[in-house]
């Protein structure tokens, strides 16, 4: 059924009755009211007229051949295009049971036959006014929702830009990691897209998940903004005390993002960003930090980021290590499958490794 715009602003009233005399009387009443009548002798004819142009109100007889008014009303109310059109039953069957049945099916009123012209006129006017007000309210709500959604998107975009700037500042503490965040974001999205085709992950990895991880994974190390530069830039291995300070960045990063999320709970990417920030140093066998989570207790977003983050770190030169070749890095990832990394994610990662992106500063 096609929802066609009615021409002009004059309301169209659909009259459905198999008795010609009733059609003529009701048609004249509607014309006298200044509205446009459209007449049908059956539910089938009425359906064709509705497909051409939606009426603003329907006057519907109950007893008709082929399909009675009750069944036709029920079908109209089941259709999302026609369910809001007000229906007034006009019938000789005007017992309490008949009226209750009509109202239960979604009719707005019930006029008994023989009907009075004044009664039909007043009830049609009243229900048209109510329908018009409902349509105006719905339009206002849609406009309001559009404005609110636009504002929410703008706020989220501004938050994203600020957080990216913070994350870039963190990255800037180590001159060897200039493109690390871009690499991680790109490869997390690519890996998530690939996992979508695996039966093991198809239900959890939606298009929304893919879009979100491309944003959220970029913030995985945002907590390092609170880590002293002399520790991050130290050549060679860290002392135990220094390592404990570095480990704090996962909780510090999650805390930064949680504070922002508390003020804007409608944000779409922060919940995943918090997961990744907190758990991107977890390990499949439970030997990671901060909470020694293991296996699938580690959120999927973090399990993806763990593989991608370490792979990109292996490929790049750091103040504490040389750069590994791609072959060496892939071998390390493969050897870590089932201990450091989710083995099913590693299997997919190795299949798409030729598509992975790495740019070094």
């Amino acid at each position: 059924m096609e929802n066609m715009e009615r021409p002009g602003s004059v309301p169209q009233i659909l009259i459905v009755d198999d008795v010609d005399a009733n059609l003529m009387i009701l048609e004249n009443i509607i014309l006298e009211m200044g509205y446009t009548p459209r007449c049908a002798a059956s539910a089938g004819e009425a359906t064709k007229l509705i497909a051409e142009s939606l009426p603003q109100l329907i006057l519907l007889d109950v007893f008709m051949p082929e399909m009675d008014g009750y069944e036709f009303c029920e079908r109209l109310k089941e259709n999302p295009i026609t369910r809001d059109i007000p229906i007034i039953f006009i019938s000789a069957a005007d017992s309490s049971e008949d009226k209750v049945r009509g109202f239960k099916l979604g009719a707005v009123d019930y006029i008994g036959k023989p009907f009075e012209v004044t009664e039909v006129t007043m009830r049609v006017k009243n229900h048209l006014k109510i329908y018009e007000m409902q349509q105006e309210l719905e339009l206002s709500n849609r406009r309001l929702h559009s404005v609110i959604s636009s504002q929410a998107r703008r706020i989220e975009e501004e938050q994203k830009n600020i957080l990216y700037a913070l994350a870039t500042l963190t990255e800037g503490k180590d001159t060897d990691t200039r493109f690390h965040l871009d690499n991680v974001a790109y490869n997390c999205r690519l890996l998530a897209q690939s996992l979508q085709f695996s039966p093991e992950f198809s239900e959890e990895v939606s298009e929304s998940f893919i879009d979100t991880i491309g944003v959220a994974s970029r913030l995985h190390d945002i907590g390092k903004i609170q880590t002293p530069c002399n520790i991050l830039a130290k050549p060679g291995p860290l002392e135990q005390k220094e390592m404990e300070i570095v480990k704090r960045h996962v909780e510090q990063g999650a805390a930064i993002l949680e504070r922002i999320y508390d003020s804007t709970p409608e944000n779409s990417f922060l919940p995943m960003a918090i997961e990744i920030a907190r758990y991107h140093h977890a390990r499949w066998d439970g030997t990671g930090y901060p909470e020694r989570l293991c296996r699938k207790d580690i959120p999927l977003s973090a399990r993806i980021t763990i593989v991608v983050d370490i792979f990109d770190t292996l490929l790049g030169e750091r103040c504490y290590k040389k750069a590994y070749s791609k072959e060496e890095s892939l071998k390390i990832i493969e050897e870590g499958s089932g201990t450091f990394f989710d083995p099913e994610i590693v299997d997919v990662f190795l299949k798409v490794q030729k598509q992975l992106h790495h740019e070094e500063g």
Side-chain angles (χ1 to χ4, degrees):
M1 188 175 295
E2 190 173 343
N3 186 2
M4 300 180 67
E5 292 292 328
R6 61 187 177 89
S9 58
V10 178
Q12 297 184 27
I13 312 299
L14 176 61
I15 307 165
V16 190
D17 198 312
D18 63 325
V19 178
D20 289 341
N22 291 335
L23 280 177
M24 290 178 61
I25 295 170
L26 291 169
E27 183 179 19
N28 286 331
I29 293 173
I30 298 304
L31 283 170
E32 286 293 323
M33 295 175 69
Y35 304 147
T36 302
R38 304 176 71 209
C39 299
S42 67
E45 288 183 20
T47 300
K48 292 178 182 178
L49 291 176
I50 291 172
E52 293 173 5
S53 179
L54 291 179
Q56 280 62 63
L57 186 141
I58 300 173
L59 296 174
L60 180 60
D61 186 25
V62 171
F63 299 117
M64 297 184 295
E66 298 176 7
M67 184 188 302
D68 66 26
Y70 291 133
E71 184 180 351
F72 186 49
C73 176
E74 187 173 18
R75 292 193 180 188
L76 291 175
K77 294 303 176 182
E78 289 174 349
N79 189 323
I81 296 176
T82 57
R83 65 187 175 198
D84 293 330
I85 301 173
I87 296 174
I88 300 176
F89 279 114
I90 298 185
S91 175
D94 62 348
S95 67
S96 296
E97 292 79 7
D98 294 320
K99 292 179 180 180
V100 168
R101 183 181 179 188
F103 288 130
K104 283 185 175 179
L105 289 172
V108 297
D109 212 336
Y110 205 109
I111 301 174
K113 291 180 180 178
F115 48 78
E116 295 286 338
V117 173
T118 302
E119 181 183 16
V120 173
T121 300
M122 294 304 298
R123 295 201 183 192
V124 167
K125 281 185 176 179
N126 287 342
H127 288 295
L128 273 179
K129 186 62 177 177
I130 292 170
Y131 178 68
E132 180 184 339
M133 292 171 64
Q134 289 173 334
Q135 295 300 301
E136 289 176 356
L137 179 60
E138 186 177 327
L139 179 60
S140 296
N141 286 339
R142 285 200 298 267
R143 287 173 176 168
L144 180 60
H145 177 74
S146 176
V147 170
I148 292 172
S149 296
S150 177
Q151 289 175 340
R153 286 194 299 270
R154 187 170 64 251
I155 291 169
E156 183 169 314
E157 192 64 30
E158 289 171 357
Q159 286 179 331
K160 191 188 301 182
N161 291 336
I162 292 169
L163 288 169
Y164 280 1
L166 286 174
T168 303
L169 285 174
T170 301
E171 193 178 42
K173 287 186 171 187
D174 185 348
T175 56
D176 295 326
T177 62
R178 181 180 169 194
F179 295 104
H180 179 62
L181 298 184
D182 292 337
N183 297 338
V184 168
Y186 180 91
N187 291 335
C188 278
R189 181 183 173 86
L190 173 67
L191 183 52
Q193 284 176 321
S194 304
L195 292 173
Q196 194 177 31
F197 298 102
S198 171
E200 181 67 27
F201 300 101
S202 59
E203 290 188 8
E204 196 170 353
V205 180
S206 61
E207 290 300 322
S208 175
F209 181 98
I210 292 168
D211 291 338
T212 304
I213 199 169
V215 175
S217 60
R218 189 184 291 267
L219 305 172
H220 68 283
D221 268 340
I222 196 167
K224 284 186 177 178
I225 200 167
Q226 296 184 13
T227 306
C229 293
N230 64 307
I231 295 179
L232 291 177
K234 181 180 178 179
L238 299 178
E239 297 177 5
Q240 182 63 32
K241 185 177 180 180
E242 293 171 326
M243 180 56 71
E244 292 302 319
I245 293 173
V246 170
K247 284 183 178 181
R248 293 175 196 164
H249 83 278
V250 296
E251 291 287 14
Q252 290 168 335
I256 290 170
L257 299 174
E258 283 172 338
R259 285 195 294 272
I260 297 171
Y261 185 58
D262 285 343
S263 63
T264 53
E266 69 281 356
N267 185 289
S268 64
F269 68 86
L270 280 175
M272 185 185 290
I274 292 166
E275 285 182 347
I276 293 173
R278 178 169 282 126
Y279 297 117
H280 72 281
H281 281 284
R283 297 295 176 256
W284 184 253
D285 62 3
T287 58
Y289 60 90
E291 299 172 13
R292 299 183 69 85
L293 292 188
C294 66
R295 298 180 176 272
K296 294 188 178 179
D297 286 340
I298 306 167
L300 177 59
S301 59
R303 300 197 320 261
I304 293 171
T305 307
I306 291 164
V307 177
V308 170
D309 180 33
I310 291 182
F311 177 70
D312 193 72
T313 300
L314 289 169
L315 288 173
E317 185 175 347
R318 300 291 187 267
C319 60
Y320 55 85
K321 74 165 193 71
K322 66 177 183 65
Y324 289 85
S325 68
K326 185 174 183 180
E327 292 71 23
E328 291 172 323
S329 300
L330 289 171
K331 184 178 180 182
I332 291 171
I333 296 294
E334 187 173 9
E335 289 174 348
S337 177
T339 53
F340 273 29
F341 313 117
D342 181 335
E344 291 168 335
I345 291 178
V346 170
D347 287 345
V348 175
F349 177 85
L350 294 174
K351 290 176 183 177
V352 301
Q353 51 88 11
K354 290 184 179 179
Q355 303 173 51
L356 298 172
H357 176 82
H358 177 77
E359 187 172 357
E360 190 67 20

